[in-house]
Structures are given as structure tokens and as C-alpha cells.
Amino acid sequence: MKSILDSRPELAYEVAQVAEVAGYLWQKGWAERNGGNITVNVTHCIDDEIRQMAAISEPIAMGQKLPHLQGCYFFCKGTNKRMRDLARWPMENGSIIRITEDCEHYEIIADNPVKPTSELPAHLAMHNYLLGKGVECKAALHTHPIELVAMSHAEKFLEKDVLTYLLWSMIPETKAFCPRGLGVVRYELPGSQILADATIAQLDEYDVTLWEKHGVCAVGPNIMEAFDQVDVLNKSAQIYISAKNMGFEPDGMTREQMQEMTEAFGLPK
Ligand code: 2HA
Ligand code: ZN
């Protein structure tokens, strides 16, 4: 079948990166059934021929005006599609959408009329917010990492920055590779505008936000880096839980060790 990716190596590369990450999410057990979603801003790969392409769907309302997304293009996982299928057949389980001139609608342009993810309001609101601030974050990822979600069921871990400091102290690399820590959004209905608004409120401080009793939402310059931040945080959660399973509360790195590492790596305080 003809694909928009044919003879467009840059666009094909972006989609291949999404497919690779989708496979990791499935292998990690973070993507049961249709769980999780990915959107990537691919506007930098779009040529004049694509700009002229007719839409293959009606314009679909986004439910909000997102002015910084005017004329942008996104690759989106399809709603109700499985990550494990996205890994193998990305263009059958996702689609490329164009934001229309009024910034209130999108239309699907290729390859198939696959309707985007149910968390599109949160994803597009995040892309809009970051573009408005001039932050170079092209990818947004939502997934259900087991240990982080488990920890979100305890009230004591949901206080601001409690989990950030606990997870940073489990292994030095966590702060090095997730230097802005982990924000927290209290439980809201999946796919809702309230969840989207609460998530963008975290973006000034954090790249990764924990959705209570649900999952995480991460942004990054590309999909691999968004995935890496969640992977690093969840690894720390696994170390914490392993220690608890052995019957003790892990000591964590000391304040002095954290301080030494923060200075050596030139990280924010
Ligand atoms: O896409 O994970 O939160 C399915 C979900 C919704
Ligand atoms: Zn979810």
C-alpha cells in the first residue's frame, strides 16, 4: 500500500522511533490492551506536497482553541489501538493529523482514517503550551508504568516532591537524567479536559507528571527521551519496592551524596 512515509526518510524515521518505543512499552508491561498513547510533532518533516494533501476525515473539533498549533502536523497513536500493534504496524494503528487554520479543529491526512488517542486533549494542550513558551519538546507520551502507578496509591507519596526526592535518592542516575523530577496530578477522569489542564499546570516545573492511580505523562525533545525519563523514574520505583519486599526501608543516598552528585553533574538544585 502507498504510504505518506514513502520517499520521506525524515518522517519515516520519526514514525519508526514511535514504533520502537511502543514496543518497549508493551515489553515492559506498561501498555495493556489499548493503554497509553503517543503524539509527536512532525511539522519539521512536512513538505509542500503534504501541505496540499486533501484530508481523509471531516474537521474534528478539539474542544479548545490552541493558537500555537496552527498548521502543525502530528503523528498520533489511534484511539483503542494497541501499543503492541503500533510497534509493528504504526501507520495502521496511528495517523498523521493537521491542525486547521482556525486552531479549533484537526483533520486526518494519512495513511488511514484512524481517529487519534482518547488523551488527545491533554497531548495537544501540552504541545500548544510548550510551543507557546518556545520549549523544544516535540514528543508527548502517556503510559501506565506499574511501580510508579502502584506508588501513586499511597497518600504520603502524593505530597509535592516527596516522590521526586525519594526516587532521586535510589540511584544517582535518576536525578542526572530526570533533573526536573516528577510532578503529581490528583485523580481525574481519563481523557478529560480537567486532566489536560491539570497536566499543563505541571509543565513549568516538571517534564514528567504522575497521574494518581492511572499513569504518567512525559514530554521530551523526541519520543526516545520522553520514554527514557519515565524508564529512569520507574527503575528507581522498582529499587524502592525491591528493598521493601526484602523487608526494609531503603536508606536512600544521603543528602551529602546527592549534593556531591548534583554539583558534579551540574544539575539544578
Ligand atoms: O489510551 O491510557 O488514559 C488509553 C489510555 C487513556
Ligand atoms: Zn491511560
Side-chain angles (χ1 to χ4, degrees):
M1 193 195 128
K2 237 173 93 54
S3 169
I4 193 172
L5 305 184
D6 296 343
S7 316
R8 292 194 176 94
E10 222 187 340
L11 187 56
Y13 175 78
E14 293 292 334
V15 174
Q17 293 285 101
V18 169
E20 185 173 330
V21 166
Y24 298 153
L25 299 176
W26 166 249
Q27 286 162 12
K28 285 185 160 289
W30 298 355
E32 70 290 345
R33 199 178 180 278
N34 64 321
N37 30 69
I38 294 174
T39 56
V40 177
N41 188 336
V42 293
T43 313
H44 61 290
C45 309
I46 299 302
D47 52 38
D48 286 344
E49 196 185 345
I50 298 180
R51 290 194 182 279
Q52 305 304 324
M53 275 172 71
I56 56 171
S57 76
E58 294 300 306
I60 302 166
M62 296 193 287
Q64 53 188 331
K65 194 175 173 97
L66 299 171
H68 301 295
L69 300 188
Q70 191 177 51
C72 281
Y73 291 74
F74 293 88
F75 177 81
C76 307
K77 172 182 170 282
T79 187
N80 257 317
K81 300 295 187 189
R82 295 176 172 86
M83 279 295 174
R84 60 182 191 261
D85 292 338
L86 189 72
R88 292 175 295 177
W89 305 296
M91 295 308 281
E92 283 73 33
N93 294 278
S95 56
I96 292 179
I97 65 167
R98 171 198 289 144
I99 310 299
T100 58
E101 286 299 301
D102 66 7
C103 303
E104 291 184 48
H105 298 79
Y106 67 86
E107 51 197 18
I108 303 169
I109 60 156
D111 281 339
N112 301 292
V114 174
K115 192 160 185 256
T117 160
S118 61
E119 299 290 3
L120 199 65
H123 281 248
L124 292 183
M126 289 194 296
H127 287 294
N128 180 66
Y129 184 76
L130 293 167
L131 277 173
K133 282 187 58 176
V135 177
E136 265 289 302
C137 268
K138 293 197 175 69
L141 164 69
H142 163 58
T143 187
H144 301 163
I146 301 165
E147 289 80 6
L148 286 173
V149 176
M151 292 181 85
S152 83
H153 284 260
E155 192 60 36
K156 65 174 177 176
F157 292 137
L158 299 175
E159 296 284 321
K160 186 172 166 54
D161 288 333
V162 169
L163 264 182
T164 295
Y165 287 107
L166 178 69
L167 297 174
W168 278 351
S169 80
M170 287 297 106
I171 177 171
E173 273 83 351
T174 306
K175 187 171 182 188
F177 297 121
C178 193
R180 301 202 328 140
L182 182 62
V184 174
V185 165
R186 291 309 188 111
Y187 184 84
E188 296 294 350
L189 187 69
S192 64
Q193 190 60 45
I194 303 179
L195 180 58
D197 293 342
T199 305
I200 58 172
Q202 299 292 313
L203 288 180
D204 285 337
E205 277 186 83
Y206 307 99
D207 297 325
V208 190
T209 300
L210 181 64
W211 289 351
E212 180 186 349
K213 298 171 190 161
H214 179 170
V216 299
C217 206
V219 295
N222 55 59
I223 191 59
M224 210 53 82
E225 292 192 36
F227 167 76
D228 282 338
Q229 291 216 33
V230 182
D231 194 24
V232 161
L233 287 166
N234 198 66
K235 174 67 174 273
S236 280
Q238 287 177 313
I239 293 168
Y240 176 81
I241 292 167
S242 296
K244 294 292 276 187
N245 283 344
M246 286 187 281
F248 64 89
E249 180 77 24
D251 294 336
M253 293 160 61
T254 63
R255 281 194 171 273
E256 292 70 35
Q257 289 165 342
M258 289 294 296
Q259 185 59 30
E260 178 193 40
M261 207 267 313
T262 299
E263 284 166 19
F265 282 69
L267 304 174
K269 296 274 177 290

